[in-house]
DNA sequence: CATTGACTTCACCATTAGTTCAAGTCCTAG
DNA sequence: CTAGGACTTGAACTAATGGTGAAGTCAATG
């Protein structure tokens, strides 16, 4: 069920070990424990972290991402990941529209500063 | 020189009084003091705050904005404000490009999650 | 068995952008 | 002159995203 250590997941996903533990505390990834209380992750942990990192670039908070990932079923199929991708894309496009709106407000110029 | 109180600037700019004081501490706006140690702002304070708020929507931090505003001369002319607008626009476009890059990475799909 | 590296928890540090609170002071209108 | 609202300070608190260090435990290897 869980075979990867913190260090292995960290290397595979490109984040620090402390970040891996942080993501577990935050519920983005789940870990089983060995008899000696060490974390053992499923192979999809690194994948979830990679998705989480992209989601962060899009502007989602960790708790947004927790909810996003919570929507995934136990053994996600490609279609499930696709749905997640679609949501991320929609979100990114929303942020882009916001920036365009800010651009418009800047362009409106004097209304900001009628001195 | 300075006639507006904290509350007046707050109303004119649409931010809270505590935010106005915060922005003064951070050097986004300047205040003279009355004999009784109360702040009195120039009429352009609200304008600077409005610009600052748009800049935040674009993703700049308060200290970025301090530097941006510090570049303004004492009595800014329209051209000075225009230069500032141009910088904000360039920055917004940069952020939009970053989001598009994130979109591309999401689109690359399976590379994120080759399960 | 002993070493070594990886792991554990817990708690504190940093940053950003403010907000809230308490206790006290100022200013203006009546 | 006095009441009330607006103002002052500084410190503590918030949320988000981790980083760091101490003290101790586990696991694999020679």
């Amino acid at each position: 069920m869980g075979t990867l250590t913190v260090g292995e997941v960290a290397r595979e996903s490109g984040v620090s070990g402390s970040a891996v533990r942080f993501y577990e505390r935050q519920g983005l990834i789940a870990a089983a424990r060995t008899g000696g209380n060490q974390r053992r992750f499923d192979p999809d942990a690194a994948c979830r972290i990679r998705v989480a990192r992209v989601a962060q670039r899009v502007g989602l908070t960790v708790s947004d991402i927790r909810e996003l990932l919570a929507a995934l079923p136990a053994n996600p199929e490609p279609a499930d990941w696709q749905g997640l991708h679609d949501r991320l894309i929609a979100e990114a496009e929303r942020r882009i529209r916001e920036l365009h709106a800010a651009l418009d407000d800047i362009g409106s110029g004097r209304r900001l500063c009628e001195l």
Side-chain angles (χ1 to χ4, degrees), chain A residues 13-48:
Chain A
S13 64
V15 306
S16 68
S18 64
V20 171
R21 282 185 279 272
F22 176 72
Y23 293 146
E24 192 220 357
R25 272 204 305 286
Q26 298 300 317
L28 305 200
I29 51 182
R33 295 297 180 130
T34 65
N37 196 34
Q38 296 194 356
R39 293 168 181 84
R40 286 303 124 94
F41 296 92
D42 287 345
D44 74 342
C47 160
R48 293 169 78 98

Side-chain angles (χ1 to χ4, degrees), chain A residues 1-2 11-12 15 30 34 51-52 54 86 89 99 104 108:
Chain A
M1 280 281 157
R11 270 184 295 283
E12 250 187 73
V15 306
T34 65
V51 170
V54 175
D86 291 345
I89 288 169
L99 280 173
D104 288 348
S108 80

Side-chain angles (χ1 to χ4, degrees), chain A residues 35-104:
Chain A
N37 196 34
Q38 296 194 356
R39 293 168 181 84
R40 286 303 124 94
F41 296 92
D42 287 345
D44 74 342
C47 160
R48 293 169 78 98
I49 290 177
R50 277 191 294 271
V51 170
R53 297 245 102 198
V54 175
Q56 284 187 316
R57 284 167 57 199
V58 170
L60 298 186
T61 68
V62 168
S63 95
D64 293 337
I65 297 168
R66 171 177 42 239
E67 292 174 23
L68 202 62
L69 290 175
L72 279 179
N75 272 9
E77 295 176 32
D80 299 317
W81 289 107
Q82 189 55 51
L84 212 154
H85 288 351
D86 291 345
R87 290 212 232 171
L88 279 180
I89 288 169
E91 183 60 26
E93 286 171 348
R94 203 177 65 69
R95 310 258 166 175
I96 289 171
R97 280 195 300 276
E98 281 178 4
L99 280 173
H100 280 303
L103 279 177
D104 288 348

